[in-house]
Amino acid sequence: MSKSQFVNRFLALHYVYPVPLNKLRPLLEYDQSLAQFDIISPHLLAKLCKISLDRAIKLQKMFKEFVEIPMFQMYEKHSITPILFSNPNYPKSLLNLYDPPAVIYLKGKIELLANPKKIAIIGSREATDYSAESIKLILPPLVNEEYVIISGLAKGADTLAHQITMNLGGQTIAVLGTGLFHVYPKQNLKLSNEMEKNQLLLTEYPPYITPQKWNFPMRNRIISGLSQGVVITEATKKSGTVSTMEHALENGKEIFAIPGSIHSPLSIGPNMLILEGAKPIWNGHQILEELNK
């Protein structure tokens, strides 16, 4: 089987079964090229994928329909570039995750992915002016050193991180918790349109996937996985921001936190992380010093 045939088969499988790579590994160990996927016993498929027999039968049926479609050309029509885990352009740092994305779907300036200098800036969806002012202080030295700023396109701190980076003439990547046909939140449609022209949108989900609440915690591991370090602005004690930090800690990333007022509930997250060993920062030079040690 040729490389292009494998890519098409894998993209067809991921379209109908969009799961992380760890859930596909037993199947790939059994059938490395997916050459037998449409003829394999449904019982065996169910066992390999740890799914019900009914789901395995449906999966095979759907795969047979989509494998006939030239998937890469289909994505190309929508200016979407899928990159498989086996592609040399797939970020090696993501393969260190317990559950790497099997495919990443990109729209925009793909070359941003190749820049090794990446920092994530994250925080609360209810971010206050304190986040905005902090990000404005932190970003200029990072942008001057051509760091790519990564965030999640959510409202609040993520939006501020993307927007302020672009205002400074910098480069930014948004990691989505949806497919590329469904921007979320809707209020960031204009920002998303701008980013797909001049920056980069990235997701592990095929384009048709709509917003589901469990997808957003999942995308947090990609934000930290792509980055050398993660900066937290404002966050409550229990939030998706703190879960991103947990992913970052597990994967040996540098953690930076902006100290906040003891009177603000949105400062509990960063202040607690400082207590646990995150580095307190109040300008971008401190980040550069730490990363250049």
Side-chain angles (χ1 to χ4, degrees), residues 280-293:
I281 55 152
W282 46 91
N283 66 58
H285 294 290
Q286 293 165 295
I287 297 171
L288 293 174
E289 283 167 20
E290 200 60 45
L291 294 177
N292 293 329
K293 274 184 179 176

Side-chain angles (χ1 to χ4, degrees), residues 30 109 190 196 270 277:
Y30 175 81
K109 293 173 74 173
K190 186 181 174 186
E196 70 179 49

Side-chain angles (χ1 to χ4, degrees), residues 104-118:
I104 51 173
Y105 300 88
L106 309 170
K107 198 165 191 179
K109 293 173 74 173
I110 296 169
E111 60 269 25
L112 297 191
L113 206 58
N115 185 342
K117 299 197 290 188
K118 299 187 189 79

Side-chain angles (χ1 to χ4, degrees), residues 125 176-186 205-216:
R125 286 174 167 80
L176 280 58
T178 62
L180 287 163
F181 291 166
H182 299 278
V183 173
Y184 182 86
K186 287 278 187 271
Y205 300 108
Y208 67 88
I209 297 289
T210 55
Q212 307 289 343
K213 64 180 180 181
W214 52 84
N215 288 353
F216 295 95

